[in-house]
Structure formats: structure tokens, C-alpha cells
Amino acid sequence: MAAEMIMDIRKAFSGGFTVDARLTAALGASTVLILFGPSGSGKTTILRCLAGLERPEAGRIRFISRTWFDAEQAIDVPPQERGVGYMSQDYSLFPTYSVAGNIRFGLGELKADERQRRVAESLALLKLQGLEQFKPGQLSGGQQQRVALARAVARRPQLLLLDEPLSALDAPTRTHLRSELRALLKQLAVPSVVVTHDWTEALVLGDQMAVIHEGRVLQTGTPQEVFNRPNGEAVARIVGIETALEGRVIESSGGLMTVDVEGTKLIALGEDEVGPDVFVCIRAEDVVLEPVGAGTTSARNHLAGQVQEVQSLGALVRVTIDCGFLLSAVVTRAAVEDLRLSPGTPVTASMKAGAVHLVPRRDVATVVTA
Amino acid sequence: MMNWTAISVTLQLATLTAMVLLLVGLPIAYWVSFSRWRWKFLVESVVALPLVLPPTVLGFYILVAIGPHSPIGRLYTDLVGHPLPFTFEGLLIASVLYSLPFAVQPFAAAFDQVDRRLIEASWTLGVSRAGTFFKLILPMSVAGVVTGFVLSFAHTLGEFGVVLMVGGNIEGVTRTVSIDIYDEVQALNYAGAAKTALFLLVVSYLILLSVYAMNRKVWAVWPQK
């Protein structure tokens, strides 16, 4: 049964920043809801309101059948009683406690043997065996993240709240742990809300996504929907990616990958570990439009298509091209006039291999490791 | 010849004062560190007053406050049968107030250093505010708490003006080491004064040495805001 989350909160901060967020989500047993937005957009504040660490001035928060917060009825359930697992951006591990001590910290009300069992279970789940007696300061960033997750899940929360779970890690570790985190969140069978400003994370981790900007929820939907069909200029600017398609890697050699997208082949730069199922992401500003039959360029991908829609964005124009799939391009008004682009015009869309980003899209079954 | 009776009175007074300040000072310091009340500085200033007031002024007000004409003094006399001034208990109350900032400020400084996100993490793990204090905040503040305890002990060893005002100079009850030295000098017994003074100097130095060794690189007395 889906866990329903209803949130409608307002909070004003000194300096004029206001959070005014309305969000309703039906979260399945392992649904991951992404709160996506640039830094300073208020997504962390929203997460903290869910955790009970920040108190909105008005509104209400309900989770499943329980009211966590209601300004009118003066209900504000303290964080201790919300049954959430919360992980802050810097993991907040207790420096005076060992790894096992950190995990045991929140299990005080359990009997000793049950507590021991839960600690062992969490250590095994996050593959932390052997590190029990280490202090947080002795661990790598990736290990610290796993301890923080183990600590959060040991209490069997009914909702996991993760604030930028990967941002404290260096780039190679982050790429590696992204898929691992996805597998873990699926395996836990606990709905989670994940804050991020990284579109790859949103695509890899998210089932649902809410775009937050200036304290407001601008759009909700699956990450793919939001990326492909931003509902306005603000969302388009925030997400940056305007084409996100499901594809399959069919060939990989010398750092170049050939990806099949609905019958069309695209060349992308990529590492072997992403495939075979991927999201193919293309920024609209990386797409170059040329008249049909133009000379060869250094770009590796040339797609013949027809203009489907021309939409003004002020100085720039968004052109949607049907080339077997729908591709968004952003060009100047002058280019539209030079190429006489209007719905139906045949056009060639080009992009360099480096502009085609591949993001792993794995089925849950293939990534869950015992 | 050292006055061992005076030394014994002084050590008892200092130990009890430090222990009472641990009980009283920790809640005050917790409030000072964690309260978001906008007028908090009013209370902080009151706590710091003994640092700047002449001991005679502080002693005078305490004497009046616990004397037989004040409600507190009358209540105490009714309950116990004798008035508070010029007793060991009266001296203890005065010492606690006099050394209050020496305990509260290091405690509060240590609590200020505890990352608020750790405390929030503890709350989301279901641990109550009190549980969080004892399981997380206190263990992380050990150095500051020991510093406050030791400094209030050391500060009590050396108090003079307040003792004279509130305690008087009663052999075996309220005559502390510093008063004894004063008496010896008044009696022109420099040899006796020198021995006791040296004793106080060495003990105080050793105590401060232990505090600074424990808080290397940290200026121990003042909060680092």
C-alpha cells in the first residue's frame, strides 16, 4: 500500500526568503522521491520540516494517517516520535562513538539481544563488518556514508530522509556509490525522500521528482518526465537537461559507445560500467541545427528530422525536432530565421559525442547484491 | 608551622563548592548555550558579574541576602535553628555564587562547540533531549566540564574578600588559608605566612597546570564564541 505524504507548509526567513511548498505524493514501499533544486532553493528546509527539525509557521504535514504538523491544531510531533531515518549532508556521525556505537545509539529502547541483532543486521546490510570498532574519523567518506545509512535504517524507520547523500564524496566514489545507493534504497522497502541538485543523481535514484525553486514546488513527475517536459522556463533552466531517453548500449570500443535509442544510433563518450541500460541525456544548448545536406562537421552524431514545434524563450528559441524520438534544441532567434525553421521543416540535428551523457538505468533485480 | 585546620577547611569548602557548581552550573550552562531567547545576554551578564565585582561588594549583598532580616535568612533560621552568616553553610553559598562564572563559562563554551547537527541526528534517532545531553553532549564536553570543575575549585581556594564578609574568621569553621595568611602577617609572623602562602601557590599552580595540559591550545577560562 502506498504511503501518502501531504505537505503544505510556509515559513519565512529573515532576509525575505520564504518557503511555500505544497506537495502530495503517494510513496510505494521503496519509492524514492527526489527534491531537486539549486542550492538555496529551500529543499533542505523542506526536508528538515519533514524530519521535525524545523518548524513551519503555517500549514500541515501528514504522513500515512498521522499528522506530524498542523499549525492550526498546534500539533508538532517531535523528531524523536516521527519514526524517520534522517541523514544530513555531512552524515553527522558521533565522533566519540565507534561504528557499532553509532548504530546502537538510537536502539536504547530495545532489549539487549534484539539490539545486538539489529546492529549486526545493519552492519551486514551496509557491508561494514570488520569496521565495528573504528571511530568515524578513521573511515573514508564512502564508509562514513554507509555508517550513517546503517544508523538511520537500524531503527526500521517508516520514511528515510537523505540530504544530498553523495555530495560529501569525491567524484569517482560518487559515481560508484550512486548505483549502490539506488540498490540499497530498493532493497530496504522503505520510502525515501532524497534532496539533490545533481541531475544524474535524480535520474539514477529517483522514481518521483519535485523541482524546488525559491521555496516553491514548481513541478512534480517522474524524473524523465520532468527532464523531457519541463513545465516552464524556470524548470527548464534548473534541470538543464531537456532530452532524457531510455537507451541501450550496443557497442563499446576505445571510449566511444554506440547507444540505440528507439532505433536511432547515437555515439557517446562513456565508461564501460554504465551499461547496458542507460538514460541518454542531451542538453538542449548542445544540439546544433543545420540545413539538410550541409557539409560534414566534427560532430559524431547527425540526426535527420523534422521540426515539430518552435517555442520562444525570449532571446532564445526552443526547437523540438522529431528524429525518431523527440529532441530539444535551444538556438538563437537569428538561427531560426536563417534556417527558416517552422513546424515541418526538415533539419539535421548534430551533437558531439561528448554532449551525449549516459547515466546508468539498471533494473532493480540486476543491482541488488546479497 | 602551617595551619592544617585552615587548610582542611579550605579544601572542604573548595571541594563542596566545585561539586555544587557541577550540579547547578551544568543546567545553567546548558540553558545559556542552547536557549534561543533573545534576552539571553541579560542572564549571561549576571552569571559573569562575580568576575568584575569587588569581592566585598558581592560579599556584602550575600550577607544581606542570607542575614536574619531577609526572607531567605529567616526561613533558614526557622528550619535549622541558627542564622546563616558566619557559618560554613553560609560560606558555601557565597563561594558557589562567587565561583559561578568559573564553572558556567567553561561548561557553556564546551557545549557551544558541540555541532548542532549531531544533536539533531540524535533526536531523529529517537533519543530524548535529556538522553542526548547525557549520551552525546556531556561526553563530548568532558574537557570543558573538568576545566570548569577544577577552576571553580582553584578559585575557591584563593577567595578572601567574600570569606571575610560572609564567613568571618572562625577557627576550624570559616578560617580559610587566605585568611590565615592575612592573620599571620598581621601578627608579624612572616615565617608562618610564607609557608602557607607557598603551599597555596604550589597547589594553585599544579591545578592550573593540569587544566592547561588538558586543554592544550585552548584558552581555558573564557568561552570561545
Side-chain angles (χ1 to χ4, degrees), chain B residues 18-32 96 100 103-105 107-108 111:
Chain B
M19 277 163 41
V20 171
L21 276 173
L22 200 59
L23 293 177
V24 176
L26 284 175
I28 296 175
Y30 183 89
W31 184 85
V32 165
V96 165
L100 192 65
V104 171
Q105 291 191 349
F107 295 169
F111 296 161

Side-chain angles (χ1 to χ4, degrees), chain A residues 208-248:
Chain A
Q208 295 178 34
M209 171 166 162
V211 179
I212 319 283
H213 182 55
E214 289 173 351
R216 286 158 200 277
V217 178
L218 295 187
Q219 186 175 3
T220 52
T222 68
Q224 236 191 312
E225 275 167 23
V226 174
F227 287 128
N228 285 329
R229 289 187 289 283
N231 66 2
E233 208 191 324
V235 174
R237 217 179 28 241
I238 292 163
V239 298
I241 291 293
E242 288 172 62
T243 304
L245 306 151
E246 291 183 12
R248 197 174 167 80

